Amino acid sequence: MENTAFGIEYRPRTGSEAMCEALLDEGVEFLFGYPGGAIMPFYDALVDYPLKHVLVRHEQAAAHAADGYARATGKVGVCVATSGPGATNLVTGLATAYMDSVPLVAITGQVGRAAMGKDAFQETNVTGMTLPVTKHSFLVEEPEELYPTMRRAFAIARSGRPGPVLVDVPKDVQFAAVSGNGYRQLREAPPPIPAPALEAAARLIERARRPIILAGHGVTLSGAELELRMLAERCGIPVSTTLLGISCFPDDHPLNIGMPGMHGAASVNRAIDRSDLLIAVGMRFDDRITGNPEKFAPNAKVIHIDVDPSEMGKVVRPTVGIVADAKLALGGVLNHLRKSPECGAWREELAVDQAPERRKEAEARGRFGPVRIMEAIREATGGEVRLVTDVGQHQMWAARHFRYTRPNSHITSGGLGTMGFALPAAMGVALACPEESVWVVAGDGGIQMNIQELATIRDLGLNIKVAVINNGYLGMVRQWQQFFHNRRYSETPITGPDYETLAAAYGLTGRTVREGDDVERVVRWAEEREGFTILDFHIDPEQNVYPMIPSGMSVAEMIEEDDA
Amino acid sequence: MPSALEIRLCGGLLALNRLSMTLQNKRMPVEGLTLARNGAEVRVTVVLDCEGETARRYAALLSGLEDVSEAGVVADLEEVALVRADGRCEAVSGSPEYVERWLAENEVEDAVRLGPVARPGKGAC
Ligand SMILES: Cc1ncc(C[n+]2csc(CCOP(=O)(O)OP(=O)(O)O)c2C)c(N)n1
Ligand SMILES: [Mg+2]
């Protein structure tokens, strides 16, 4: 058709263009992806839109990078892959985001509609395959549905309890002509919180003598850091942050007692055991926290605040359940509080129990090892850093011994525990926060799982610093073998490259750091230099994470360093 | 004590897949599952081997799925059995207990049981 007014050729929009427009209308800045046959029309359209695409080196990394971006910004992360192997490579990343309630939209190409169901080249039923690890998924078979479906995918990803949404688009649908968009809104606004629940929660808090707040990822997701702090400070209630809750309440706050659970501080686990009231905010009583739920917090009443109604009573039966966004719920509880509980004696009791742990930690800071490395990163960055961690012993050391003082400064794969998460996730974080310092703490096992992303990092010139905590083992598994399998170290010793040489091969910089080297100096050097730097810290191979509550057990079976 | 849920789906086959995957994935103690419809809407009645409180939690979980328009615990169940006896086909209907009794007391060549399903117009939905 000819547009006579301007003398330019006018052609109808294609499905791919409608997809790009939906992305722009959602305020998307970055896409992380990898092209292939079935997604080529989309990649062709992309060129004409002001959307920045990051070409990763493996689709798993695209999902983790989008995840890191989403966690750092609170916005929806976007990843893109082709059909078949591209789509299957996304699955680990989707599962990681699903377990940690991270909003993602994953776009996958699919074979053309006529070829579907015929075992076509690179055809996989990705909607079927990802059913258990997505909040929702769409197979878009009608071109006119593309734009509204994309918009809806974003709305679903960020509404209520966030999560990943997959949009699978057959190739011919991407090519097809589309006209209007007809965006439909999501169905309902969140219901108001019933006043009696807030009232009941406030009364429980007022009467408590040994209360503890357990703060989880929901606090960060809803931006409830201030309300959490107001509740804690107004009532003098100690706060324990879960693995994903870390950094939602400052570690240097006198009321912060540390992380609970399998590798949490012994004093925190004992405190939960003696507590008479747990105020659980945006956390889901993961088995890594409760151990045996029958024996968990046996003396405590429970206030459970969570936006997902199906979390109520899933593991721990709440005395009062409040199904709401953490920010609204905490604000509501604060409004209903008439007085503060008397828990001064409780705080003193906890302080006495914590004192030896604090002494031990201070001692460990003086020795070459993970605690000292964490402290050096903290010193060099002044705490102004986003720390992205992988999975294993180093993850627990970073969780326990780094002092986080900025909201949302700790990013890790909690629920799925995905090795290989940290490096690509840090790419998303670094792109989201270009002015901020971004450090990765990874093990010598996990860093090798997405090491190919060094090429992406080099291309983008990302200023990420990596500390490899190199113990020559799949350390966490080795530790379990030591405790529960008679030290039979089956397939846990692991080798890796020389990271200095490897970095150089990618045009990047690395250093090896051994006992006797000046840890503080090398960390400061890395922090101060412009550009990616990898530090390979060779630590004691058999250092363990203490304490440890064996899986499914209770605080009574906790293994502490002195009795190991 | 078994409990029953009625779930109304607004999507197609993928919605049904997602529902059955969720039942299996969350290890819901499914004793029976019956599909029915009203117009384009698919109505699924699931009998669960658990008490009411757990069933309500499962209903909350299922109503969080995007293509579930409603989900709730239902008290009133209805069953229909198409039975073949003396060469004729007829329908027997009533409460599941009634249909059970009827089938035990009568001689039938073959029977197809449709249900239990949530009785229309009642229950939590
Ligand atoms: C993808 C994946 N595979 C396997 C595991 C099981 N796993 C958990 S921790 C761990 C060891 C990690 O070793 P490393 O990266 O060297 O860290 P370390 O524990 O030594 O600090 C393994 C294999 C996992 N979490 N993720
Ligand atoms: Mg290791």
Side-chain angles (χ1 to χ4, degrees):
Chain A
M1 196 208 291
E2 189 84 3
N3 183 326
T4 45
F6 299 99
I8 49 173
E9 195 192 346
Y10 187 82
R11 62 179 178 81
R13 285 191 312 163
T14 63
S16 298
E17 287 164 346
M19 291 162 79
C20 292
E21 280 162 29
L23 293 171
L24 280 181
D25 291 349
E26 287 294 339
V28 171
E29 189 182 1
F30 290 104
L31 317 176
F32 302 88
Y34 207 93
I39 191 77
M40 282 179 69
F42 173 75
Y43 271 89
D44 187 53
L46 198 55
V47 176
D48 297 326
Y49 288 85
L51 291 160
K52 296 178 200 143
H53 182 272
V54 174
L55 177 68
V56 292
R57 298 304 191 268
H58 187 298
E59 290 87 351
Q60 183 189 350
H64 290 326
D67 178 325
Y69 179 87
R71 292 190 206 225
T73 57
K75 295 199 252 175
V76 179
V78 182
C79 55
V80 188
T82 190
S83 66
T88 56
N89 273 349
L90 284 183
V91 173
T92 302
L94 294 176
T96 304
Y98 183 73
M99 288 294 274
D100 288 350
S101 311
V102 178
L104 290 192
V105 166
I107 301 169
T108 48
Q110 182 56 273
V111 300
R113 284 171 292 181
M116 284 174 70
K118 308 215 167 84
D119 305 323
F121 177 65
Q122 295 196 329
E123 179 186 6
T124 55
N125 178 353
V126 66
T127 44
M129 189 176 321
T130 57
L131 277 176
V133 295
T134 49
K135 188 173 171 190
H136 195 61
S137 50
F138 297 97
L139 167 63
V140 188
E141 295 185 81
E142 289 305 322
E144 296 299 337
E145 286 293 314
L146 253 179
Y147 181 90
T149 303
M150 291 283 296
R151 297 296 303 268
R152 206 168 147 74
F154 277 84
I156 295 168
R158 66 174 155 249
S159 70
R161 180 180 183 161
V165 178
L166 180 112
V167 184
D168 194 29
V169 190
K171 188 168 182 176
D172 59 321
V173 175
Q174 298 169 44
F175 268 131
V178 300
S179 51
N181 60 41
Y183 174 45
R184 287 182 308 240
Q185 281 293 338
L186 256 197
R187 41 179 204 235
E188 73 261 4
I193 309 172
L198 297 173
E199 192 65 39
R203 294 299 85 76
L204 281 180
I205 294 172
E206 288 163 2
R207 285 198 294 268
R209 292 293 172 271
R210 306 157 92 81
I212 296 177
I213 298 174
L214 293 176
H217 198 194
V219 174
T220 305
L221 285 169
S222 73
E225 290 92 349
L226 185 64
E227 287 77 5
L228 171 66
R229 196 164 167 160
M230 279 162 66
L231 178 66
E233 288 180 352
R234 214 169 114 187
C235 298
I237 302 177
V239 178
S240 169
T241 48
T242 69
L243 181 62
L244 291 190
I246 286 174
S247 82
C248 78
F249 191 76
D251 277 350
D252 58 356
H253 194 289
L255 287 171
N256 192 323
I257 55 172
M259 187 175 85
M262 179 179 272
H263 290 297
S267 60
V268 176
N269 290 327
R270 282 192 289 262
I272 291 172
D273 197 52
R274 293 198 303 269
S275 166
D276 66 357
L277 178 67
L278 295 182
I279 306 161
V281 189
M283 58 82 72
R284 58 182 173 85
F285 294 102
D286 184 277
D287 56 88
R288 285 313 194 238
I289 286 179
T290 63
N292 180 351
E294 307 282 306
K295 296 187 182 163
F296 177 74
N299 308 305
K301 296 200 162 98
V302 175
I303 299 170
H304 193 181
I305 297 173
D306 202 291
V307 73
D308 180 350
S310 72
E311 287 299 340
M312 295 297 140
K314 185 180 87 178
V315 181
V316 169
R317 177 193 283 245
T319 319
V320 175
I322 301 178
V323 177
D325 173 87
K327 192 178 175 74
L328 294 178
L330 287 174
V333 171
L334 276 164
N335 282 338
H336 282 79
L337 273 177
R338 292 194 292 248
K339 64 183 179 74
S340 298
E342 287 158 28
C343 49
W346 173 233
R347 287 193 301 271
E348 279 166 29
E349 191 182 321
L350 296 186
V352 170
D353 203 18
Q354 282 174 321
E357 289 172 355
R358 302 225 152 143
R359 266 199 307 278
K360 262 202 174 135
E361 190 180 43
E363 275 165 33
R365 288 209 173 99
R367 284 194 302 274
F368 180 80
V371 181
R372 175 139 168 223
I373 297 165
M374 296 310 137
E375 183 61 12
I377 298 174
R378 154 107 208 153
E379 290 278 301
T381 58
E384 289 299 305
V385 61
R386 306 262 189 167
L387 204 70
V388 188
T389 68
D390 216 72
V391 174
Q393 293 182 308
H394 62 279
Q395 179 188 33
M396 294 299 118
W397 288 319
R400 293 277 311 283
H401 303 298
F402 192 92
R403 274 177 301 133
Y404 300 88
T405 44
R406 286 191 45 186
N408 202 11
S409 55
H410 172 255
I411 289 175
T412 199
S413 162
L416 199 68
T418 309
M419 284 172 70
F421 169 81
L423 190 67
M427 302 193 310
V429 177
L431 285 166
C433 319
E435 304 303 324
E436 298 180 31
S437 181
V438 179
W439 275 77
V440 166
V441 173
D444 50 326
I447 193 71
Q448 297 188 65
M449 283 201 172
N450 271 312
I451 194 74
Q452 76 287 344
E453 295 310 316
L454 290 182
T456 314
I457 289 170
R458 189 244 355 262
D459 285 359
L460 297 173
L462 295 178
N463 191 17
I464 297 169
K465 319 294 176 186
V466 178
V468 178
I469 309 298
N470 191 337
N471 50 13
Y473 277 110
L474 299 173
M476 187 56 97
V477 182
R478 184 208 54 76
Q479 175 172 342
W480 285 51
Q481 289 172 332
Q482 178 184 340
F483 289 178
F484 312 119
H485 296 273
N486 256 328
R487 284 185 189 260
R488 280 151 63 92
Y489 293 162
S490 170
E491 300 302 323
T492 45
I494 189 167
T495 64
D498 174 308
Y499 289 95
E500 288 186 21
T501 321
L502 182 78
Y506 279 103
L508 300 168
T509 304
R511 286 279 179 282
T512 310
V513 191
R514 296 196 165 79
E515 183 153 18
D517 292 343
D518 188 338
V519 173
E520 289 71 24
R521 224 183 88 202
V522 74
V523 169
R524 220 178 310 117
W525 165 79
E527 171 63 21
E528 283 166 9
R529 71 180 293 277
E530 195 47 48
F532 177 91
T533 313
I534 188 165
L535 303 178
D536 179 19
F537 292 95
H538 288 242
I539 66 156
D540 170 9
E542 298 205 25
Q543 185 161 345
N544 287 331
V545 181
Y546 291 108
M548 174 175 193
I549 300 178
S551 199
M553 306 248 181
S554 75
V555 67
E557 288 90 12
M558 181 160 59
I559 304 169
E560 296 198 62
E561 184 155 14
D562 300 331
D563 44 50
Chain B
M1 245 308 261
S3 309
L5 304 181
E6 187 187 48
I7 303 132
R8 300 186 181 181
L9 295 179
C10 50
L13 204 55
L14 188 57
L16 196 58
N17 268 352
R18 198 184 324 275
L19 175 71
S20 63
M21 179 281 298
T22 307
L23 298 174
Q24 179 264 335
N25 193 26
K26 300 290 178 187
R27 300 289 184 271
M28 297 190 200
V30 177
E31 278 197 340
L33 183 148
T34 309
L35 289 183
R37 68 173 180 85
N38 182 24
E41 180 187 69
V42 175
R43 294 191 181 184
V44 186
T45 305
V46 180
V47 179
L48 296 173
D49 182 19
C50 63
E51 29 51 268
E53 195 182 319
T54 309
R56 274 189 291 281
R57 194 174 70 72
Y58 285 139
L61 194 155
L62 293 169
S63 45
L65 298 180
E66 268 316 301
D67 27 36
V68 168
S69 55
E70 284 176 81
V73 176
V74 284
D76 294 322
L77 295 176
E78 186 83 14
E79 185 153 358
V80 178
L82 301 179
V83 295
R84 190 165 186 89
D86 303 326
R88 286 185 314 130
C89 183
E90 54 183 290
V92 182
S93 70
S95 70
E97 299 76 26
Y98 170 79
V99 172
E100 197 67 52
R101 241 188 356 260
W102 194 95
L103 288 171
E105 288 166 2
N106 291 276
E107 202 126 305
V108 296
E109 292 158 33
D110 194 13
V112 178
R113 296 167 70 160
L114 310 173
V117 292
R119 191 171 291 166
K122 283 212 169 176
C125 278

